[in-house]
Amino acid sequence: MGGETETRNSNPLPKLSAGPVGQQIHGIYKERLRQFTDRGQYRETNLISKLYEGRGVGQDYVKLSVYSVPNLDRPTFKEATSERFKPTQVGESFGPSWSTHWFRIQLRIPKDLLKKEHLEFHWDANNEGLVWTEHGEPLQGLTGGGERVEWVLPDAWRDGREHIFYIEMACNGMFGNPTGGDAIQPPDPNRQFQLAMADIVAVNLAARALFVDFWIIGDAAREFPEDSWESHEALQVTNAIMDAFIKGHQ
């Protein structure tokens, strides 16, 4: 009456909670996020356990040989690959600083990995490297130290046969060879680099995508001010992901 108009609430969300809601302790819920991607005591039950679906490891699948270039020389691909290569293996060390070592990798994908969705070769010697085809075409750089250690294997290699490619190793880190890892110190001329990984890896792409999403949203929970709505919302989403995750289920 009297020209009154009915007001409607356009927000479908309830204004009040259906029941009591406890106050979350921000620090506890934020610290919990670390457990989901921790590579320590939780790695067998958290998201890390789902990142890979299988590996091809050892001489049956990855045969390694190396030519260590003398006198800190820098040969071309043709010059280096025409030299004599000697057998080597994961666990051996290479140096000194600034030296170059060429690796011939003879790779055969295991039968149980042939039909996996996505296959990569993981190489980590904690130094820089460059992947070459058997015919001398440079393909991709590698950083090492857990950063950019992956090279995607061609689908044509899913034939059970042996395939050859090369990796040129440079005995320096991303920022040179500082003594003790301190970038302002003089370079260490005798630094050695241990080859820690040379594996064929079947990657679970869905799990990897979730890892990246969780990492980014988790950063929002950690980096925005604790009393901001952005941090609160990110914390709710990441904890909900953890609550929904069950190892062994997609």
Side-chain angles (χ1 to χ4, degrees):
M1 295 180 65
E4 294 176 358
T5 59
E6 180 180 359
T7 59
R8 297 180 181 274
N9 182 7
S10 61
N11 188 347
L13 297 177
K15 291 185 176 181
L16 301 176
S17 173
V21 178
Q23 173 67 44
Q24 292 182 353
I25 300 176
H26 189 89
I28 293 177
Y29 281 83
K30 183 174 68 173
E31 179 61 21
R32 182 183 183 228
L33 305 185
R34 179 186 59 80
Q35 301 173 10
F36 196 47
T37 55
D38 183 74
R39 297 180 183 273
Q41 62 178 322
Y42 303 109
R43 66 170 295 123
E44 297 301 324
T45 56
N46 62 16
L47 182 57
I48 299 300
S49 68
K50 299 291 291 179
L51 289 180
Y52 307 118
E53 299 176 330
R55 287 180 181 266
V57 181
Q59 295 289 325
D60 290 342
Y61 308 112
V62 182
K63 296 179 182 178
L64 304 175
S65 54
V66 62
Y67 165 59
S68 296
V69 182
N71 304 319
L72 302 185
D73 287 343
R74 300 289 185 268
T76 65
F77 174 88
K78 184 177 181 180
E79 291 169 342
T81 56
S82 65
E83 296 287 347
R84 181 182 178 184
F85 283 67
K86 66 176 184 179
T88 189
Q89 61 187 356
V90 171
E92 291 200 8
S93 296
F94 302 89
S97 300
W98 316 117
S99 62
T100 301
H101 305 263
W102 285 79
F103 293 82
R104 179 184 292 127
I105 295 98
Q106 298 166 261
L107 177 147
R108 179 174 61 84
I109 297 173
K111 289 183 179 180
D112 62 333
L113 300 185
L114 290 175
K115 296 187 181 299
K116 295 295 185 181
E117 177 185 10
H118 184 80
L119 297 178
E120 297 176 346
F121 183 71
H122 287 196
W123 173 275
D124 194 350
N126 201 37
N127 57 17
E128 293 188 316
L130 180 62
V131 180
W132 295 78
T133 69
E134 183 181 9
H135 305 294
E137 178 184 358
L139 297 177
Q140 176 192 308
L142 301 170
T143 304
E147 300 289 339
R148 198 175 191 189
V149 300
E150 312 91 353
W151 174 56
V152 179
L153 293 176
D155 285 338
W157 290 12
R158 298 171 180 259
D159 55 7
R161 299 179 180 178
E162 184 177 272
H163 298 272
I164 296 175
F165 65 102
Y166 293 86
I167 291 180
E168 178 186 6
M169 173 194 286
C171 284
N172 58 268
M174 185 185 300
F175 302 107
N177 286 310
T179 300
D182 186 346
I184 67 171
Q185 297 300 318
D188 178 358
N190 296 306
R191 189 175 175 186
Q192 296 288 313
F193 296 85
Q194 185 179 55
L195 177 58
M197 183 186 303
D199 299 350
I200 302 168
V201 181
V203 178
N204 183 336
L205 292 180
R208 177 180 281 178
L210 178 59
F211 180 91
V212 174
D213 289 344
F214 188 87
W215 177 17
I216 294 173
I217 301 172
D219 271 353
R222 288 181 288 267
E223 301 301 331
F224 278 111
E226 183 175 320
D227 59 353
S228 67
W229 72 264
E230 295 94 340
S231 178
H232 174 78
E233 185 67 19
L235 200 60
Q236 303 312 302
V237 170
T238 47
N239 273 274
I241 290 173
M242 293 181 67
D243 292 341
F245 176 84
I246 302 175
K247 184 193 175 189
H249 295 73
Q250 295 289 350

